[in-house]
mmCIF file of all heavy atoms in Angstrom:
data_model
loop_
_atom_site.group_PDB
_atom_site.id
_atom_site.type_symbol
_atom_site.label_atom_id
_atom_site.label_comp_id
_atom_site.label_asym_id
_atom_site.label_seq_id
_atom_site.Cartn_x
_atom_site.Cartn_y
_atom_site.Cartn_z
ATOM 1 N N ARG Z 2 -88.034 70.659 -91.908
ATOM 2 C CA ARG Z 2 -89.301 70.690 -92.582
ATOM 3 C C ARG Z 2 -90.432 70.798 -91.587
ATOM 4 O O ARG Z 2 -90.661 69.987 -90.712
ATOM 5 C CB ARG Z 2 -89.468 69.436 -93.369
ATOM 6 C CG ARG Z 2 -88.551 69.304 -94.492
ATOM 7 C CD ARG Z 2 -89.084 68.447 -95.543
ATOM 8 N NE ARG Z 2 -88.261 68.674 -96.712
ATOM 9 C CZ ARG Z 2 -88.511 68.210 -97.882
ATOM 10 N NH1 ARG Z 2 -89.569 67.417 -98.028
ATOM 11 N NH2 ARG Z 2 -87.782 68.440 -98.891
ATOM 12 N N VAL Z 6 -99.728 71.787 -87.876
ATOM 13 C CA VAL Z 6 -99.956 71.595 -86.516
ATOM 14 C C VAL Z 6 -101.277 72.260 -86.128
ATOM 15 O O VAL Z 6 -101.504 73.417 -86.453
ATOM 16 C CB VAL Z 6 -98.819 72.181 -85.604
ATOM 17 C CG1 VAL Z 6 -99.102 71.996 -84.150
ATOM 18 C CG2 VAL Z 6 -97.486 71.577 -85.995
ATOM 19 N N VAL Z 13 -116.381 73.937 -72.515
ATOM 20 C CA VAL Z 13 -117.542 73.287 -71.901
ATOM 21 C C VAL Z 13 -118.659 73.205 -72.976
ATOM 22 O O VAL Z 13 -119.039 74.310 -73.518
ATOM 23 C CB VAL Z 13 -118.024 74.019 -70.644
ATOM 24 C CG1 VAL Z 13 -119.269 73.334 -70.105
ATOM 25 C CG2 VAL Z 13 -116.942 74.045 -69.613
ATOM 26 N N ARG Z 16 -123.308 69.702 -69.507
ATOM 27 C CA ARG Z 16 -123.149 69.301 -68.108
ATOM 28 C C ARG Z 16 -123.792 67.908 -67.939
ATOM 29 O O ARG Z 16 -124.829 67.645 -68.554
ATOM 30 C CB ARG Z 16 -123.703 70.285 -67.185
ATOM 31 C CG ARG Z 16 -122.982 71.675 -67.251
ATOM 32 C CD ARG Z 16 -123.116 72.392 -65.959
ATOM 33 N NE ARG Z 16 -122.220 73.510 -65.988
ATOM 34 C CZ ARG Z 16 -121.041 73.515 -65.361
ATOM 35 N NH1 ARG Z 16 -120.572 72.519 -64.756
ATOM 36 N NH2 ARG Z 16 -120.311 74.603 -65.428
ATOM 37 N N ASP Z 17 -123.147 67.102 -67.096
ATOM 38 C CA ASP Z 17 -123.785 65.774 -66.813
ATOM 39 C C ASP Z 17 -124.836 65.908 -65.703
ATOM 40 O O ASP Z 17 -125.117 67.048 -65.235
ATOM 41 C CB ASP Z 17 -122.693 64.758 -66.479
ATOM 42 C CG ASP Z 17 -121.950 65.072 -65.208
ATOM 43 O OD1 ASP Z 17 -122.361 65.961 -64.427
ATOM 44 O OD2 ASP Z 17 -120.903 64.380 -64.954
ATOM 45 N N LEU Z 19 -124.733 65.254 -62.693
ATOM 46 C CA LEU Z 19 -124.179 65.783 -61.397
ATOM 47 C C LEU Z 19 -123.726 67.231 -61.536
ATOM 48 O O LEU Z 19 -123.075 67.777 -60.643
ATOM 49 C CB LEU Z 19 -123.074 64.890 -60.901
ATOM 50 C CG LEU Z 19 -123.449 63.472 -60.580
ATOM 51 C CD1 LEU Z 19 -122.231 62.688 -60.162
ATOM 52 C CD2 LEU Z 19 -124.472 63.422 -59.411
ATOM 53 N N ASN Z 21 -121.424 68.350 -63.507
ATOM 54 C CA ASN Z 21 -120.020 68.485 -63.834
ATOM 55 C C ASN Z 21 -119.917 68.914 -65.347
ATOM 56 O O ASN Z 21 -120.633 68.395 -66.148
ATOM 57 C CB ASN Z 21 -119.270 67.136 -63.611
ATOM 58 C CG ASN Z 21 -119.312 66.771 -62.166
ATOM 59 O OD1 ASN Z 21 -119.075 67.591 -61.313
ATOM 60 N ND2 ASN Z 21 -119.604 65.503 -61.923
ATOM 61 N N PRO Z 28 -111.247 73.505 -82.304
ATOM 62 C CA PRO Z 28 -110.098 74.013 -82.992
ATOM 63 C C PRO Z 28 -109.986 75.534 -82.906
ATOM 64 O O PRO Z 28 -110.968 76.249 -82.987
ATOM 65 C CB PRO Z 28 -110.351 73.622 -84.469
ATOM 66 C CG PRO Z 28 -111.706 73.111 -84.542
ATOM 67 C CD PRO Z 28 -112.238 72.910 -83.137
ATOM 68 N N SER Z 31 -104.584 76.537 -87.071
ATOM 69 C CA SER Z 31 -103.567 75.646 -87.614
ATOM 70 C C SER Z 31 -102.330 76.440 -88.049
ATOM 71 O O SER Z 31 -102.487 77.498 -88.714
ATOM 72 C CB SER Z 31 -104.169 74.882 -88.831
ATOM 73 O OG SER Z 31 -105.161 74.077 -88.396
ATOM 74 N N GLY Z 34 -95.235 73.613 -87.609
ATOM 75 C CA GLY Z 34 -94.416 73.229 -86.449
ATOM 76 C C GLY Z 34 -93.645 71.959 -86.691
ATOM 77 O O GLY Z 34 -93.865 71.263 -87.689
ATOM 78 N N GLN Z 38 -85.538 67.600 -81.103
ATOM 79 C CA GLN Z 38 -84.793 66.690 -80.210
ATOM 80 C C GLN Z 38 -84.282 67.516 -79.001
ATOM 81 O O GLN Z 38 -84.075 68.715 -79.028
ATOM 82 C CB GLN Z 38 -83.558 66.111 -80.961
ATOM 83 C CG GLN Z 38 -83.960 65.287 -82.138
ATOM 84 C CD GLN Z 38 -84.744 64.092 -81.810
ATOM 85 O OE1 GLN Z 38 -84.422 63.427 -80.839
ATOM 86 N NE2 GLN Z 38 -85.810 63.769 -82.544
ATOM 87 N N VAL Z 46 -79.463 68.475 -67.510
ATOM 88 C CA VAL Z 46 -80.108 69.234 -66.501
ATOM 89 C C VAL Z 46 -81.457 68.686 -66.112
ATOM 90 O O VAL Z 46 -81.842 68.722 -64.953
ATOM 91 C CB VAL Z 46 -80.234 70.708 -66.919
ATOM 92 C CG1 VAL Z 46 -81.017 71.493 -65.903
ATOM 93 C CG2 VAL Z 46 -78.835 71.328 -67.124
ATOM 94 N N GLU Z 50 -87.599 61.502 -66.187
ATOM 95 C CA GLU Z 50 -88.969 61.219 -66.467
ATOM 96 C C GLU Z 50 -89.533 62.245 -67.500
ATOM 97 O O GLU Z 50 -90.286 61.850 -68.367
ATOM 98 C CB GLU Z 50 -89.827 61.271 -65.172
ATOM 99 C CG GLU Z 50 -91.302 61.010 -65.426
ATOM 100 C CD GLU Z 50 -92.131 61.070 -64.131
ATOM 101 O OE1 GLU Z 50 -91.555 60.801 -63.049
ATOM 102 O OE2 GLU Z 50 -93.257 61.415 -64.238
ATOM 103 N N LEU Z 52 -87.774 63.779 -69.795
ATOM 104 C CA LEU Z 52 -87.143 63.451 -71.058
ATOM 105 C C LEU Z 52 -87.792 62.261 -71.756
ATOM 106 O O LEU Z 52 -87.881 62.226 -72.956
ATOM 107 C CB LEU Z 52 -85.657 63.212 -70.894
ATOM 108 C CG LEU Z 52 -84.848 64.376 -70.410
ATOM 109 C CD1 LEU Z 52 -83.407 63.964 -70.145
ATOM 110 C CD2 LEU Z 52 -84.825 65.503 -71.398
ATOM 111 N N LYS Z 57 -90.322 68.412 -77.380
ATOM 112 C CA LYS Z 57 -90.341 69.873 -77.652
ATOM 113 C C LYS Z 57 -91.000 70.114 -78.998
ATOM 114 O O LYS Z 57 -90.751 69.407 -79.992
ATOM 115 C CB LYS Z 57 -88.924 70.407 -77.715
ATOM 116 C CG LYS Z 57 -88.184 70.309 -76.395
ATOM 117 C CD LYS Z 57 -86.834 71.040 -76.400
ATOM 118 C CE LYS Z 57 -85.976 70.604 -77.536
ATOM 119 N NZ LYS Z 57 -84.673 71.328 -77.483
ATOM 120 N N LEU Z 59 -91.562 73.117 -81.801
ATOM 121 C CA LEU Z 59 -91.219 74.451 -82.269
ATOM 122 C C LEU Z 59 -92.213 74.856 -83.299
ATOM 123 O O LEU Z 59 -92.538 74.121 -84.236
ATOM 124 C CB LEU Z 59 -89.813 74.406 -82.965
ATOM 125 C CG LEU Z 59 -89.191 75.726 -83.390
ATOM 126 C CD1 LEU Z 59 -88.944 76.613 -82.201
ATOM 127 C CD2 LEU Z 59 -87.930 75.472 -84.189
ATOM 128 N N ALA Z 62 -96.973 79.412 -84.323
ATOM 129 C CA ALA Z 62 -98.246 79.855 -83.770
ATOM 130 C C ALA Z 62 -98.012 81.043 -82.847
ATOM 131 O O ALA Z 62 -97.047 81.104 -82.116
ATOM 132 C CB ALA Z 62 -98.917 78.713 -82.994
ATOM 133 N N SER Z 65 -100.566 84.093 -78.251
ATOM 134 C CA SER Z 65 -101.968 84.142 -77.757
ATOM 135 C C SER Z 65 -102.681 82.821 -78.064
ATOM 136 O O SER Z 65 -103.492 82.365 -77.239
ATOM 137 C CB SER Z 65 -102.746 85.285 -78.448
ATOM 138 O OG SER Z 65 -102.726 85.044 -79.855
ATOM 139 N N GLU Z 68 -101.259 80.193 -75.515
ATOM 140 C CA GLU Z 68 -101.776 80.400 -74.157
ATOM 141 C C GLU Z 68 -103.212 79.863 -73.978
ATOM 142 O O GLU Z 68 -103.559 79.441 -72.917
ATOM 143 C CB GLU Z 68 -101.722 81.913 -73.783
ATOM 144 C CG GLU Z 68 -100.315 82.387 -73.578
ATOM 145 C CD GLU Z 68 -100.210 83.861 -73.418
ATOM 146 O OE1 GLU Z 68 -101.155 84.608 -73.742
ATOM 147 O OE2 GLU Z 68 -99.102 84.345 -72.980
ATOM 148 N N GLU Z 71 -104.816 73.917 -75.238
ATOM 149 C CA GLU Z 71 -104.536 72.863 -74.234
ATOM 150 C C GLU Z 71 -104.139 71.548 -74.916
ATOM 151 O O GLU Z 71 -103.496 70.744 -74.320
ATOM 152 C CB GLU Z 71 -105.758 72.588 -73.326
ATOM 153 C CG GLU Z 71 -106.101 73.833 -72.495
ATOM 154 C CD GLU Z 71 -107.209 73.551 -71.560
ATOM 155 O OE1 GLU Z 71 -107.207 72.498 -70.909
ATOM 156 O OE2 GLU Z 71 -108.099 74.424 -71.445
ATOM 157 N N GLU Z 76 -99.478 65.316 -87.124
ATOM 158 C CA GLU Z 76 -99.550 64.104 -87.931
ATOM 159 C C GLU Z 76 -100.503 63.030 -87.344
ATOM 160 O O GLU Z 76 -100.144 61.856 -87.263
ATOM 161 C CB GLU Z 76 -98.148 63.465 -88.116
ATOM 162 C CG GLU Z 76 -97.191 64.416 -88.908
ATOM 163 C CD GLU Z 76 -95.852 63.771 -89.155
ATOM 164 O OE1 GLU Z 76 -95.316 63.134 -88.258
ATOM 165 O OE2 GLU Z 76 -95.335 63.953 -90.288
ATOM 166 N N GLY Z 77 -101.675 63.485 -86.902
ATOM 167 C CA GLY Z 77 -102.673 62.549 -86.390
ATOM 168 C C GLY Z 77 -102.476 62.117 -84.929
ATOM 169 O O GLY Z 77 -103.271 61.315 -84.416
ATOM 170 N N VAL Z 78 -101.417 62.571 -84.301
ATOM 171 C CA VAL Z 78 -101.079 62.187 -82.906
ATOM 172 C C VAL Z 78 -101.453 63.381 -82.056
ATOM 173 O O VAL Z 78 -101.079 64.518 -82.300
ATOM 174 C CB VAL Z 78 -99.645 61.788 -82.706
ATOM 175 C CG1 VAL Z 78 -99.394 61.462 -81.260
ATOM 176 C CG2 VAL Z 78 -99.259 60.660 -83.623
ATOM 177 N N TYR Z 80 -101.361 65.552 -78.550
ATOM 178 C CA TYR Z 80 -100.484 65.880 -77.417
ATOM 179 C C TYR Z 80 -101.109 66.910 -76.481
ATOM 180 O O TYR Z 80 -101.896 67.731 -76.927
ATOM 181 C CB TYR Z 80 -99.184 66.490 -77.926
ATOM 182 C CG TYR Z 80 -98.338 65.580 -78.872
ATOM 183 C CD1 TYR Z 80 -98.573 65.558 -80.248
ATOM 184 C CD2 TYR Z 80 -97.317 64.792 -78.300
ATOM 185 C CE1 TYR Z 80 -97.874 64.730 -81.050
ATOM 186 C CE2 TYR Z 80 -96.600 63.970 -79.140
ATOM 187 C CZ TYR Z 80 -96.832 63.953 -80.524
ATOM 188 O OH TYR Z 80 -96.051 63.158 -81.292
ATOM 189 N N ILE Z 82 -100.382 70.166 -74.257
ATOM 190 C CA ILE Z 82 -99.341 71.219 -74.088
ATOM 191 C C ILE Z 82 -99.105 71.411 -72.593
ATOM 192 O O ILE Z 82 -100.029 71.736 -71.850
ATOM 193 C CB ILE Z 82 -99.780 72.533 -74.746
ATOM 194 C CG1 ILE Z 82 -99.993 72.315 -76.243
ATOM 195 C CG2 ILE Z 82 -98.776 73.646 -74.487
ATOM 196 C CD1 ILE Z 82 -100.564 73.513 -76.969
ATOM 197 N N LYS Z 87 -90.076 79.164 -74.563
ATOM 198 C CA LYS Z 87 -89.410 80.356 -75.076
ATOM 199 C C LYS Z 87 -90.235 80.939 -76.192
ATOM 200 O O LYS Z 87 -90.912 80.300 -76.931
ATOM 201 C CB LYS Z 87 -88.008 79.970 -75.627
ATOM 202 C CG LYS Z 87 -87.006 79.683 -74.540
ATOM 203 C CD LYS Z 87 -85.662 79.641 -75.212
ATOM 204 C CE LYS Z 87 -84.604 79.509 -74.074
ATOM 205 N NZ LYS Z 87 -83.255 79.445 -74.579
ATOM 206 N N ARG Z 90 -88.463 85.563 -81.831
ATOM 207 C CA ARG Z 90 -89.202 86.537 -82.688
ATOM 208 C C ARG Z 90 -90.195 85.821 -83.653
ATOM 209 O O ARG Z 90 -91.318 86.298 -83.782
ATOM 210 C CB ARG Z 90 -88.232 87.329 -83.508
ATOM 211 C CG ARG Z 90 -87.482 88.343 -82.707
ATOM 212 C CD ARG Z 90 -86.597 89.158 -83.605
ATOM 213 N NE ARG Z 90 -85.745 89.977 -82.814
ATOM 214 C CZ ARG Z 90 -85.289 91.131 -83.231
ATOM 215 N NH1 ARG Z 90 -85.595 91.551 -84.384
ATOM 216 N NH2 ARG Z 90 -84.548 91.790 -82.394
ATOM 217 N N LEU Z 94 -91.366 77.927 -78.579
ATOM 218 C CA LEU Z 94 -90.980 76.622 -78.194
ATOM 219 C C LEU Z 94 -91.766 76.211 -76.940
ATOM 220 O O LEU Z 94 -91.850 76.945 -75.949
ATOM 221 C CB LEU Z 94 -89.454 76.564 -77.786
ATOM 222 C CG LEU Z 94 -88.897 75.262 -77.341
ATOM 223 C CD1 LEU Z 94 -88.886 74.263 -78.504
ATOM 224 C CD2 LEU Z 94 -87.508 75.467 -76.785
ATOM 225 N N ALA Z 99 -97.323 63.337 -75.174
ATOM 226 C CA ALA Z 99 -98.190 62.458 -75.951
ATOM 227 C C ALA Z 99 -99.238 61.807 -75.027
ATOM 228 O O ALA Z 99 -98.998 61.485 -73.893
ATOM 229 C CB ALA Z 99 -97.386 61.384 -76.688
#
Side-chain angles (χ1 to χ4, degrees):
R2 292 203 168 189
V6 178
V13 177
R16 295 208 170 260
D17 64 11
L19 297 175
N21 296 316
S31 295
Q38 300 296 318
V46 174
E50 182 180 328
L52 295 173
K57 296 188 308 181
L59 186 65
S65 60
E68 288 171 346
E71 296 184 44
E76 294 185 321
V78 179
Y80 298 87
I82 298 175
K87 285 192 175 181
R90 286 183 189 210
L94 180 68

